[in-house]
Amino acid sequence: MKILMVSIFAPHFFNWTEQLRESGHDVYWLDVFDSNTKVEKIDFAQQITGWRYKWDFPGRYFLKKNHPGFNRLINKVNERSFQKVLERKIKEIRPDVIHSFVIYLSAAPVLPVIEKFPKIKWILSTWGSDLFYYSKKKNYRVDIQRVLPRVNYLFTDCKRDQQIAIENGFKGTYLGTFPGGGGFDLQLLESYHKEPNERNLILVKGYQGLHGRAIEVLKALLPVKEKLREFEIVVFGADEEVFHFVRNSEINSWINFKVLGKVSHREVMKLMGLTKIFIGNSLSDGMPNTLLEAIVMEVFPIQSNPGRATEEIITDGLNGLLINNPEEPKHIRNVLEKVLEDEIDIKKAIKFNNENLRPGLDRERIKYEVLKKYKLVEEELETSGS
């Protein structure tokens, strides 16, 4: 089966696509915004990059940074149309299916083109806030309700989004719920695991921005300083809003507190291996990837529950704790204190996750299930004679 992947340049996408290595499918990737970069992780796929500019002239980045108005004027002449490039590539490749990742970036722009090719089947993968948040926004909802009726097959990262898709016009075949980037190499990650008595970190996801609410977590930590003395507290992936809050807060003077900006995925997993309690807090998400990382690294999770997606795998008080009011520091503090005051049996929670959740997040197991879904699509194509 020929599969034309349409996606932005994103680690989730590369991890997902890598599952198709040696699958027997012919895989192509059209980089929506054209990073003009070949990706080694998916070197088995034919990568369509370098298409965007007719002339990638010297000094283009300087011009973009220092003279944006003039740069936009030049680009009107110098930039190729994504939709025209896509149409040309469809005619060249003649794919059996097109697989788009994220609606508003990689599906809405495809719709006017794929409508010209009614026999081509369309797969869509949604992640994070793709449906939950944007289906509530009028301008985005228009695109969502135009795209979904044409989509033939759907992957989501949480069950919640299947229902949202149906409510917004999806009538195709639901292929299932899988982590956005596929699973985890559990054997490889074993080297990062520390024993329970060696773990003294409280790890906080540091995103604020549009959806994140890391600052509310930091505000929740302030009143329980004395109870946190035995821990090292590390915030990772912090954006400028979080750094600004820290600089102007007494938490900045705590000797057991550290805030980090962007860190590599490997560094995150090393931190997880040292962590006893993970806290992730946001207003909108699908199934948070960092929550899954915490589970596979045997960390006790405290996670917000937007749209009730998190409770699909976390039962409050059994194998983690849920933040039900992500904008209320007092509530977050009360949730954390359940662990700090030994109201929750952390060992029992991690044992539950190890027995019931962790095995299902193994990369090879998920890859096996994902490839079965692609096989289903292929068989339906053969049956229909497409």
Side-chain angles (χ1 to χ4, degrees):
M1 183 167 67
K2 287 185 181 179
I3 308 170
L4 174 57
M5 306 288 211
V6 182
S7 174
I8 61 171
F9 190 99
H12 264 20
F13 167 71
F14 304 137
N15 289 336
W16 177 276
T17 302
E18 210 273 333
Q19 297 176 119
L20 289 165
R21 185 185 294 274
E22 298 179 357
S23 65
H25 299 299
D26 295 325
V27 181
Y28 302 77
W29 169 44
L30 178 57
D31 183 352
V32 173
F33 295 131
D34 189 16
S35 61
N36 197 22
T37 302
K38 297 292 183 181
V39 179
E40 186 176 346
K41 189 176 184 70
I42 56 168
D43 58 4
F44 66 94
Q46 297 188 45
Q47 303 178 35
I48 305 164
T49 60
W51 61 262
R52 186 172 182 179
Y53 296 105
K54 299 173 186 176
W55 182 38
D56 196 5
F57 54 86
R60 185 172 63 80
Y61 290 102
F62 174 83
L63 192 67
K64 181 179 179 179
K65 181 178 179 181
N66 295 284
H67 303 283
F70 186 46
N71 183 64
R72 283 193 295 271
L73 186 63
I74 290 176
N75 283 344
K76 286 183 179 180
V77 178
N78 194 38
E79 279 193 17
R80 294 186 178 93
S81 161
F82 164 77
Q83 292 176 342
K84 287 182 179 178
V85 170
L86 174 61
E87 184 171 351
R88 186 172 75 248
K89 290 300 177 181
I90 289 174
K91 290 175 180 177
E92 288 176 12
I93 298 167
R94 301 178 66 186
D96 298 297
V97 295
I98 291 175
H99 190 163
S100 293
F101 295 77
V102 182
I103 292 177
Y104 61 98
L105 292 177
S106 304
V110 168
L111 181 63
V113 180
I114 202 171
E115 285 181 331
K116 298 178 182 180
F117 302 90
K119 290 186 177 181
I120 295 178
K121 299 300 182 182
W122 199 8
I123 305 173
L124 173 66
S125 285
T126 65
W127 296 330
S129 296
D130 198 23
L131 280 171
F132 177 68
Y133 176 80
Y134 290 102
S135 65
K136 300 173 185 175
K137 301 296 177 182
K138 184 177 179 181
N139 291 341
Y140 290 104
R141 187 168 64 246
V142 169
D143 281 336
I144 288 170
Q145 292 178 344
R146 285 171 54 241
V147 165
L148 286 174
R150 174 59 180 86
V151 168
N152 304 102
Y153 302 94
L154 178 69
F155 288 108
T156 67
D157 68 359
C158 61
K159 295 174 184 176
R160 176 201 68 197
D161 286 355
Q162 178 190 11
Q163 185 57 39
I164 296 175
I166 291 169
E167 291 168 0
N168 284 277
F170 175 66
K171 297 181 178 67
T173 300
Y174 184 59
L175 295 177
T177 304
F178 298 95
F184 302 88
D185 188 336
L186 301 184
Q187 189 173 358
L188 178 68
L189 294 173
E190 283 294 332
S191 62
Y192 300 153
H193 281 252
K194 297 296 181 183
E195 294 299 320
N197 61 357
E198 297 179 88
R199 295 177 181 239
N200 74 329
L201 284 190
I202 293 179
L203 190 63
V204 180
K205 186 173 182 180
Y207 179 56
Q208 189 72 14
L210 180 62
H211 303 306
R213 288 299 179 267
I215 290 173
E216 282 64 28
V217 174
L218 298 184
K219 288 178 179 177
L221 299 181
L222 289 169
V224 291
K225 179 181 179 180
E226 292 304 314
K227 297 178 182 179
L228 297 171
R229 286 192 180 277
E230 67 183 89
F231 295 97
E232 295 292 322
I233 301 160
V234 177
V235 179
F236 74 97
D239 51 32
E240 182 50 41
E241 262 188 279
V242 174
F243 276 109
H244 178 78
F245 173 83
V246 169
R247 285 193 296 266
N248 293 279
S249 167
E250 70 172 84
I251 203 168
N252 199 32
S253 65
W254 292 10
I255 60 172
N256 61 337
F257 177 83
K258 183 191 296 185
V259 58
L260 306 172
K262 188 176 181 179
V263 293
S264 69
H265 183 255
R266 177 177 292 184
E267 289 304 313
V268 172
M269 300 313 280
K270 285 182 178 179
L271 285 170
M272 285 283 187
L274 296 165
T275 296
K276 187 173 184 178
I277 301 166
F278 167 74
I279 307 175
N281 189 42
S282 65
L283 293 177
S284 178
D285 207 342
M287 185 59 66
N289 212 51
T290 43
L291 168 63
L292 302 182
E293 290 165 354
I295 288 168
V296 300
M297 295 303 290
E298 301 183 356
V299 179
F300 182 85
I302 298 176
Q303 180 70 50
S304 54
N305 188 29
R308 304 184 68 179
T310 305
E311 66 185 63
E312 292 175 17
I313 63 169
I314 298 296
T315 299
D316 193 38
L318 172 66
N319 63 326
L321 287 169
L322 299 176
I323 296 171
N324 291 311
N325 191 344
E327 296 194 279
E328 179 47 65
K330 185 177 180 181
H331 166 68
I332 299 168
R333 184 191 77 198
N334 290 340
V335 171
L336 177 59
E337 283 184 318
K338 290 181 181 179
V339 180
L340 299 178
E341 296 173 2
D342 295 324
E343 292 179 34
I344 301 295
D345 189 335
I346 290 182
K347 289 182 180 178
K348 185 177 178 181
I350 290 171
K351 183 174 185 291
F352 179 93
N353 288 339
N354 281 344
E355 293 175 355
N356 296 279
L357 298 179
R358 192 170 185 267
L361 294 170
D362 178 71
R363 184 159 184 81
E364 287 303 312
R365 183 181 290 196
I366 286 179
K367 176 182 174 180
Y368 175 75
E369 294 298 328
V370 165
L371 291 181
K372 279 170 56 177
K373 301 301 182 180
Y374 281 106
K375 184 65 176 175
L376 171 68
V377 174
E378 185 176 33
E379 289 171 352
E380 292 190 0
L381 285 171
E382 291 171 354
T383 302
S384 65
S386 297

